[in-house]
Amino acid sequence: MEKQLKQGSRVWNLRFRRLNPERFALKWSWVLIRAILISGLCYVILYPLFFKLSIVFKSRIDIYDTTVLWIPRNFTLDSFRTAFEALNYPTTFASTIMISLITTLFQVISCSLAAFGFARLRFKGSGFLFACVIFTIVVPSQTIMIPTYLNYRYFDVMGLISLFTGERGINLLDTYWPFILQSATGMGIKSGLFIFIFRQFFRGLPKELEESAYIDGCGVPQTFFRIMLPNAVPAMITVLLFSFVWQWNDSYFVSLYLTRVKVLATQLPTMWASFQMDDPLYAFMIKNAGEMLFIAPVLILYLFVQRYFVESVERTGIVG
């Protein structure tokens, strides 16, 4: 036993001598700095969420109690009940989830088709058209607000509707059609970015896959649906999540197109219009409860798909 201990101590001494003290100190100092930076970033990101959670579970008495800071003394769900009624949550949630799912589905289809054309099909003017797609990423949507509104207020396809009906156009406002048409034609929220993501992924796939499909007799549509699209699952997951979250958080387009149809993004700023909330602190608590109801579906979605999302981001090369 003593011999084994001596041999173990000799091996440890040899390893310690071989270890450069400066390199050892540099390594662990970098680990310490990285841990401090990550902890600080996590605190900055998670602090608003923890702050809201500490507020929404408090009772009305706890708001005025200066001794209650983070943990509620009187735990209650009354603020959630009030916010649930003020938002008319079942109806607004159904409208929001419907719009988000519809736009997400059509954006994945249209953006993947456009990206495949830019990545694999060479034609005159393809570079210029792709530059225009990239340009749509940096152009604010507010700059074309009036033409966009008029386009769907008096919707017409090359003047055919007014030619056959004699009317100026069809009013598509307060319907889901503006969202469907925008996403189906590759003009939805951040569609230029999604086309870019798909294009970069398709360019990274080996050309031998496409050539072997052509040799087997597949045309361009068959090659896209049978070869390219099944291999683009990581890019599809990335676009699905980005599209859903951006549409869920959107308040610009829904307020532009919808007046009678209520969604969470438009109801949240005016949720206390139906209640008499003269107390500003109580109104602040109800506002935080409504915001938690708004972001809860996105948090639940992230908990279930975070692993697939991280893997898809790494494979699509978004991080560089």
Side-chain angles (χ1 to χ4, degrees):
M1 187 68 181
E2 293 180 358
K3 291 182 179 180
Q4 292 178 354
L5 290 175
K6 289 180 180 179
Q7 290 178 356
S9 61
R10 289 176 182 175
V11 172
W12 174 254
N13 290 331
L14 290 174
R15 290 180 178 177
F16 185 77
R17 289 175 183 175
R18 292 176 182 176
L19 184 62
N20 190 347
E22 295 180 357
R23 184 178 298 176
F24 179 82
L26 183 62
K27 176 183 176 182
W28 285 102
S29 61
W30 168 242
V31 171
L32 180 61
I33 293 172
R34 185 171 56 184
I36 293 173
L37 290 175
I38 294 175
S39 301
L41 290 174
C42 291
Y43 174 79
V44 171
I45 295 172
L46 296 177
Y47 173 78
L49 181 61
F50 291 152
F51 180 73
K52 290 181 182 297
L53 287 174
S54 68
I55 291 177
V56 296
F57 292 111
K58 291 180 181 179
S59 65
R60 199 164 184 173
I61 301 174
D62 292 340
I63 301 177
Y64 299 97
D65 192 348
T66 57
T67 61
V68 178
L69 297 178
W70 284 94
I71 301 176
R73 182 169 296 172
N74 301 300
F75 186 88
T76 181
L77 296 175
D78 291 339
S79 59
F80 280 107
R81 296 191 188 98
T82 306
F84 190 89
E85 296 176 3
L87 288 172
N88 192 10
Y89 196 75
T91 303
T92 54
F93 175 81
S95 302
T96 307
I97 195 72
M98 181 65 67
I99 293 174
S100 300
L101 290 176
I102 288 174
T103 56
T104 299
L105 176 63
F106 281 102
Q107 274 195 316
V108 170
I109 296 174
S110 62
C111 293
S112 60
L113 285 169
F116 176 72
F118 286 123
R120 294 302 194 188
L121 305 179
R122 297 299 179 183
F123 54 92
K124 291 184 179 181
S126 61
F128 174 75
L129 291 177
F130 184 71
C132 293
V133 170
I134 300 299
F135 185 68
T136 61
I137 301 176
V138 298
V139 174
S141 302
Q142 290 78 4
T143 57
I144 55 174
M145 178 179 65
I146 295 177
T148 303
Y149 178 84
L150 294 176
N151 181 38
Y152 294 110
R153 174 59 182 86
Y154 306 101
F155 183 76
D156 200 349
V157 181
M158 301 178 66
L160 295 178
I161 295 177
S162 59
L163 177 64
F164 290 103
T165 62
E167 298 180 357
R168 189 175 177 181
I170 301 175
N171 184 11
L172 296 182
L173 300 180
D174 279 318
T175 65
Y176 293 158
W177 279 108
F179 302 97
I180 295 174
L181 292 175
Q182 281 195 162
S183 56
T185 55
M187 290 298 296
I189 301 176
K190 306 296 183 181
S191 289
L193 176 62
F194 301 151
I195 292 174
F196 176 77
I197 292 173
F198 273 119
R199 175 181 177 271
Q200 295 302 109
F201 188 85
F202 286 143
R203 291 186 64 183
L205 293 177
K207 291 185 178 180
E208 289 76 11
L209 293 174
E210 186 179 359
E211 293 173 354
S212 61
Y214 291 149
I215 292 174
D216 292 337
C218 293
V220 174
Q222 291 179 325
T223 302
F224 172 74
F225 286 106
R226 293 186 179 182
I227 305 298
M228 306 299 287
L229 202 58
N231 286 283
V233 173
M236 291 176 62
I237 294 175
T238 303
V239 173
L240 279 169
L241 294 177
F242 279 166
S243 177
F244 182 85
V245 172
W246 270 322
Q247 182 59 55
W248 182 273
N249 296 327
D250 173 62
S251 60
Y252 170 73
F253 286 106
V254 293
S255 61
L256 183 64
Y257 300 143
L258 304 177
T259 55
R260 294 193 299 268
V261 180
K262 304 301 181 182
V263 295
L264 290 173
T266 57
Q267 287 293 99
L268 192 62
T270 60
M271 59 181 294
W272 37 72
S274 58
F275 289 83
Q276 295 295 330
M277 296 184 185
D278 299 329
D279 189 348
L281 290 179
Y282 183 63
F284 178 72
M285 184 176 68
I286 301 303
K287 177 178 179 295
N288 282 273
E291 291 173 352
M292 288 302 301
L293 290 174
F294 178 72
I295 66 176
V298 178
L299 293 177
I300 295 172
L301 177 65
Y302 176 74
L303 290 176
F304 282 100
V305 301
Q306 59 173 335
R307 181 170 65 88
Y308 304 101
F309 175 68
V310 173
E311 293 177 356
S312 62
V313 169
E314 291 177 352
R315 293 191 61 183
T316 50
I318 297 179
V319 295

